[in-house]
Amino acid sequence: MGRRLAEGPGHPLLGTGTVHASVIHGGEEPPTYPAHCRITLERRTVPGESADTVQAELTAVLDRPAAVPDFRYRLTRGLHREPFEADPDAPIVRTLTHHAEQALGHRPAVRAEPHWTGCALLDRAGIPCLLFDVDGAGADVATEYVDLASLDRLTHILTATIADFCS
């Protein structure tokens, strides 16, 4: 399934959606066939995909195991998180891009991120938003860090954007 996703059509900035088995429980010992197995999948979507299309995709995969004649499954939909894509022509994006270009001396790259973000919720509620962050590395891991000069620039850019956008 992962290979099929990678080879399929994708989003211009994000590429294709991804899938991975993040948690697997099953079996009791090496020489016996497990009576059950529970697999938790994370299927990251890109704009244009929905929870319904992902469920249909997973059902199609689970409906065809040929090696196990008595195979049964129960597919339970968990948390669905909408992907987010900022509109480069939205007023908030144009305003921030203008102030970022002034502070940085060059136009910032417009790109996308494959992870879920609260911006998707704000966007669906009609609240203008975008992602813009500091330089650093290790997001959401034990060794995350931020370049302090970048933090100062970000503070300046966001302050100017807020003052301009809200006036």
Side-chain angles (χ1 to χ4, degrees):
M1 182 173 160
R3 186 179 318 132
R4 190 175 72 234
L5 280 172
E7 293 170 354
H11 183 270
L13 293 175
L14 289 171
T16 60
T18 61
V19 63
H20 72 274
S22 55
V23 180
I24 302 173
H25 297 281
E28 297 173 24
E29 56 188 301
T32 60
Y33 289 94
H36 71 279
C37 179
R38 180 183 177 126
I39 300 174
T40 301
L41 299 175
E42 180 185 45
R43 172 62 168 81
R44 290 187 176 185
T45 58
V46 296
E49 295 179 318
S50 70
D52 291 337
T53 61
V54 169
Q55 184 163 343
E57 172 186 89
L58 291 171
T59 298
V61 169
L62 291 168
D63 280 345
R64 63 173 187 247
V68 183
D70 61 345
F71 175 78
R72 294 183 323 275
Y73 71 89
R74 183 177 72 231
L75 184 60
T76 305
R77 186 185 296 185
L79 177 65
H80 172 69
R81 298 172 177 164
E82 294 280 335
F84 171 70
E85 176 182 21
D87 176 2
D89 295 322
I92 188 67
V93 176
R94 287 194 322 261
T95 304
L96 184 129
T97 301
H98 167 75
H99 291 289
E101 187 171 1
Q102 287 184 334
L104 300 172
H106 61 84
R107 188 170 180 80
V110 175
R111 60 178 205 179
E113 295 292 339
H115 57 271
W116 181 82
T117 169
C119 281
L121 298 173
L122 296 170
D123 184 58
R124 299 306 177 274
I127 300 168
C129 59
L130 71 152
L131 297 171
F132 188 73
D133 210 343
V134 295
D135 293 330
D140 300 327
V141 299
T143 57
E144 182 173 358
Y145 70 90
V146 170
D147 175 78
L148 293 179
S150 173
L151 181 59
D152 286 339
R153 284 188 302 273
L154 177 67
T155 302
H156 172 76
I157 293 166
L158 293 179
T159 301
T161 300
I162 293 166
D164 191 8
F165 188 75
C166 295
S167 62

